[in-house]
Amino acid sequence: MQQRQPDPKRWLVLLAVMLAFLPVVLDMTILHVAVPTLTQALAASNTQVLWIIDIYPLLMAGLLVPMGTLADRVGNRRILLTGLAVFGLASALAAFAPNAPLLIAARMMLALGGAMIMPCVLGIIRRTFEDETERGIALGLWGTVGAAGAAVGPLIGGALLGHFWWGSVFLINVPVMAVVLPACWFLLPRREHITPGHWAIGQAVVLILGMIATVYAIKAGFGAKQPLGVVAVVLTTGLGLLWLFVRLQLRSAVPMLNLALFKRPAILAGIIMAIVASGSLAGVELTLAQELQYVLDKTPLQAGIFMIPIMAAAALGGPVAGWLTGRFGLRSVACLSLAVAAGTLAGLAVTDFHDPGVIVPVLLAGLGLALSIGLTASSIAIMGAADASEAGAAGSLEATGYELGSGLGITLFGVFISVVFQHHLVLPDGAPQILIDQAASSIGDLYLVARQLDAEQGMALISAGKAAFSATHAALLTTAAVLMGLLTVLVYALLANTRVSTLPHH
């Protein structure tokens, strides 16, 4: 069968969508370094801090599939440009939020913009690059931008916090959007093939509410923030709505999401890899940012610099993964990268960050490289197993995996940190009981409480908090290493019969 001629502007199109993707990625990591400053400035509680970070990936996880299928119906260009405008406006609102609830609301709007941008980027890449070798390179470069954005996020965040107020970490998106919007307007093709049929808004609402209710129930349940009865009702409602969504898909003549995609082992393996790897990365980064600032007394900029190896190595992983997969096959590359990630996490769990030497930067670089190769391999698995007509749906599934992974990773790691921190915290005598209870919930709260005590008691409390957090970080990284090891075995089994050909589809 004759292939259509490749788009002569395809590499410029790739450049435009990578620029569109950059601010969304920046926004995921720039906040990790800003959390301690933001917590103190807004006097935000531990629960509010988790929501400020979490609401963005959790809401996005619910919105991605509906937005990906909407883009298939009305065109990627239109949805992408709308998403960029919404994202820019929400960034300005977040920057000037006077309190935690309004910042959470602005982050919800950021999630809507981000959910419009992400599936369109993957969908446009899939439709623009028909040749599998070129697509592997394009996805590798896309992965590099993701990793590079994540790399400069903490650095830019740290540099901005050194000179400006916390809101500057959001305001930075506005000038980026001012460049990206016109570039996408001019470069993206005006005419594109769209899927006929209406967009089922009812199905979209059922999916969004089901995802958010389920994830909220998991958060509230693990955090013990709500009575068990409330958690049970919300979880039952969420799972019921998700079950209803599946039933609607199976009965509908034009389903929003083709559930047959999950029957393909490569797509299933890719989505599981995306969830676990992005969850581990988000949780580890958040833990490191707190450890470096609260325990090692580094400034936000110093914390950003300390984390350069993990990000710089991750930026190299994208293009390398495309080449390695073509050479050695998807299964070998995916499993080896996950096994290396498990090893580096175990190594970091037993090293002393007070005296990092060469070993900590090397382990961080190894972790960044391995996870980046693993995540790019998951992209190649998913996009290679999907046809061009399924590009938006497949892209949104993968992006949902990333977002759900990040959201659940931060939630579960946050709750895990809180529980283990309380277990290891040995509090000094003499402080009022009400303050002691508040201090035990997180290291950020502990610093807020220490300010209210006299100098000697405050210093004793901070010293106890630092010791408890160091023990917490060791337990956390060990758990992440075990998870990654289990994922390696699962992916090895799922990809048993998968071949990623370097020949174009016919």
Side-chain angles (χ1 to χ4, degrees), residues 21 118 121-123 125-126 132 135-144 146-147 266-275 277-278 317-319 321-322 325 330 333-334 337 371-387 391 394-402 491 495 498 500:
F21 178 58
M118 280 187 81
V121 169
L122 279 165
I125 292 173
R126 173 66 188 86
E132 285 203 5
R135 192 190 313 135
I137 295 167
L139 286 170
L141 290 168
W142 168 81
T144 302
I267 290 184
L268 188 59
I271 291 166
I272 294 170
M273 281 170 72
I275 290 173
S278 61
T325 305
L330 181 66
V333 173
S337 66
L371 284 179
S372 168
I373 289 174
L375 287 172
T376 305
S378 80
S379 288
I380 292 169
I382 293 168
M383 287 304 173
D387 295 323
S396 64
L397 275 181
E398 183 185 357
T400 302
Y402 284 129
V491 169
L495 295 181
T498 304
V500 171

Side-chain angles (χ1 to χ4, degrees), residues 430-464:
Q433 187 59 42
I434 187 163
L435 289 181
I436 292 302
D437 290 343
Q438 186 192 340
S441 63
S442 78
I443 194 161
D445 285 325
L446 183 133
Y447 268 77
L448 288 171
V449 168
R451 284 184 185 173
Q452 300 169 46
L453 302 172
D454 63 55
E456 191 179 336
Q457 278 187 324
M459 288 301 292
L461 184 60
I462 286 172
S463 173

Side-chain angles (χ1 to χ4, degrees), residues 148-175:
V152 296
L155 267 181
I156 292 174
L160 288 169
L161 291 171
H163 297 93
F164 306 104
W165 91 118
W166 64 265
S168 58
V169 301
F170 294 110
L171 204 58
I172 189 73
N173 291 332
V174 178

Side-chain angles (χ1 to χ4, degrees), residues 48 64 89 150 167 216 224 275 281 290 307 327 399 435 452 471 504:
Q48 285 176 326
L64 278 163
L89 178 62
Y216 176 74
I275 290 173
L281 191 58
Q290 292 189 12
M307 289 161 78
R327 183 87 189 268
L435 289 181
Q452 300 169 46

